[in-house]
């Protein structure tokens, strides 16, 4: 069990959420590790999007898992005297599939991130990725969800609460990320009381399980937005939620992107 509390107390230069060509990352894992060492990081975790029961271009193929684990063992042996390296996955939650599944529990991972990227279509039994860029999201809204943004938001949070109830993971990833695309589709929706109530319900469920809440900084530099949104930091403080600040890096030069800004804001409150 990783002592995240001690790590985050003693170091600001860590990142436990990053991707690679095994999913939708844009450089070999070794390049991320080299960049982390160059930047003086003390801890670095690699967390490709997990295999899921159907094809997705953003997710690792199940047949690549062994190769990924072997590559992580190689990198730990090669660079472990310069930085603490951790093997992880960002595991998608779908009905009957998630971090609690034996497939992931039996995998030799150092920790697990639980995230929601897919929700059920309103017009078919398909799971639809609602995490992409806004133009794709807008097209999917018309094709799969009859432009019912409330359904999409509520389903995202319902799936998130169900994922927390199932457990099996250590960190919840970007726990109100749906607010980003939803607020572009319908400005102000993520400030409405019903949306804020969904966030509070999720955080309440998280606290019952003792899961770490990720402050995801991926979109700070481009959109000045964290996940969860900075206005929920006071709510996290009220709950005394255990936090970890991750950049969700898909490129090596972004391993620290937005992290210092998030840490500064958290320290201020």
């Amino acid at each position: 069990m990783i002592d995240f509390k001690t790590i985050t107390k003693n170091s600001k230069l860590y990142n436990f959420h990053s991707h690679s060509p095994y999913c939708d990352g844009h450089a070999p894992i070794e390049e991320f590790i080299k960049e982390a060492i160059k930047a003086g990081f003390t801890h670095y975790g690699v967390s490709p999007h997990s295999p899921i029961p159907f094809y997705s271009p953003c997710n690792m193929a199940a047949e690549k898992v062994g190769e990924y684990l072997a590559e992580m063992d190689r990198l730990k042996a090669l660079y472990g005297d310069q930085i603490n390296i951790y093997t992880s996955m960002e595991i998608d939650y779908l009905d009957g599939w998630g971090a609690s599944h034996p497939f992931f529990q039996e995998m030799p991972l150092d920790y697990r991130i639980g995230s929601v990227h897919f929700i059920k279509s309103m017009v078919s039994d398909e799971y639809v990725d609602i995490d992409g860029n806004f133009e794709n999201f807008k097209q999917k809204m018309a094709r799969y969800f009859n432009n019912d943004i409330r359904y999409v938001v509520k389903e995202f949070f319902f799936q998130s609460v169900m994922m927390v109830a199932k457990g099996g993971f250590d960190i919840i990833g970007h726990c109100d990320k749906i607010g980003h695309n939803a607020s572009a589709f319908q400005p102000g929706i993520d400030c409405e009381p019903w949306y804020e109530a969904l966030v509070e319900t999720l955080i309440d469920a998280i606290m019952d399980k003792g899961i770490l809440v990720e402050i995801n900084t991926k979109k700070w530099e481009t959109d000045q937005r964290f996940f969860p949104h900075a206005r929920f930091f006071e709510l996290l403080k009220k709950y005394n939620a255990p936090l970890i600040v991750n950049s969700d890096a898909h490129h090596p030069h972004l391993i620290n992107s937005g992290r210092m800004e998030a840490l500064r804001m958290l320290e201020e409150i």
Side-chain angles (χ1 to χ4, degrees):
M1 181 71 178
I2 299 173
D3 186 355
F4 288 108
K5 184 176 182 180
T6 298
I7 290 171
T8 56
K9 179 180 179 180
N10 294 334
S11 177
K12 291 184 178 180
L13 290 175
Y14 65 81
N15 185 39
F16 287 92
H17 189 161
S18 68
H19 296 280
S20 77
Y22 286 100
C23 56
D24 58 350
H26 298 286
I29 297 172
E30 190 164 1
E31 296 304 310
F32 287 86
I33 300 299
K34 287 180 177 178
E35 183 67 24
I37 293 169
K38 180 181 175 183
F41 274 51
T42 56
H43 302 268
Y44 199 81
V46 181
S47 53
H49 293 289
S50 70
I52 53 176
F54 51 86
Y55 172 74
S56 163
C58 294
N59 289 73
M60 179 189 291
E63 58 267 24
K64 290 286 187 179
V65 170
E67 181 183 323
Y68 162 65
L69 295 174
E71 174 64 356
M72 290 304 298
D73 287 344
R74 183 186 76 85
L75 294 171
K76 287 179 178 181
L78 192 59
Y79 297 105
D81 61 338
Q82 300 176 66
I83 188 171
N84 295 292
I85 301 170
Y86 304 90
T87 304
S88 179
M89 278 190 188
E90 183 179 14
I91 302 170
D92 276 291
Y93 178 78
L94 312 165
D95 291 334
W97 184 260
S100 63
H101 193 285
F103 178 73
F104 297 111
Q105 288 299 304
E106 294 167 9
M107 206 177 286
L109 301 175
D110 295 314
Y111 64 97
R112 294 161 182 82
I113 299 174
S115 294
V116 172
H117 301 96
F118 297 85
I119 65 170
K120 272 279 186 74
S121 166
M122 293 179 71
V123 298
S124 70
D125 288 332
E126 293 176 83
Y127 276 98
V128 181
D129 185 352
I130 44 82
D131 191 61
N133 69 63
F134 179 65
E135 287 306 313
N136 285 338
F137 179 81
K138 188 164 62 173
Q139 292 174 21
K140 291 173 182 177
M141 283 298 302
R143 181 177 178 182
Y144 296 105
F145 303 112
N146 295 327
N147 287 322
D148 187 342
I149 190 62
R150 278 199 174 220
Y151 168 84
V152 172
V153 169
K154 289 180 177 180
E155 188 66 14
F156 173 88
F157 282 104
F158 174 76
Q159 292 274 28
S160 298
V161 170
M162 290 297 293
M163 176 179 71
V164 169
K166 289 285 187 180
F169 60 97
D170 307 282
I171 301 168
I172 185 166
H174 47 63
C175 69
D176 89 314
K177 195 174 183 186
I178 188 59
H180 186 53
N181 276 334
S183 62
F185 189 85
Q186 183 179 314
I189 191 172
D190 58 332
C191 295
E192 295 178 6
W194 67 272
Y195 183 99
E196 294 179 343
L198 291 173
V199 174
E200 185 155 10
T201 296
L202 175 56
I203 293 174
D204 189 54
I206 291 167
M207 295 307 296
D208 284 344
K209 289 284 189 174
I211 297 165
L212 280 153
V213 178
E214 174 186 80
I215 306 298
N216 186 299
T217 66
K218 178 182 177 180
K219 286 290 184 180
W220 177 256
E221 289 190 2
T222 56
D223 300 287
Q224 283 69 62
R225 184 166 187 140
F226 299 124
F227 310 120
H229 196 288
R231 72 172 172 277
F232 296 120
F233 287 4
E234 287 285 354
L235 180 62
L236 294 169
K237 178 185 177 182
K238 184 182 85 170
Y239 277 87
N240 195 27
L243 306 177
I244 193 163
V245 180
N246 292 324
S247 69
D248 195 352
H250 289 63
H251 299 267
H253 72 279
L254 296 176
I255 61 171
N256 207 28
S257 177
R259 292 189 63 262
M260 294 300 109
E261 290 82 354
L263 287 165
R264 177 184 56 79
M265 289 186 194
L266 290 168
E267 287 169 357
E268 286 178 355
I269 66 165

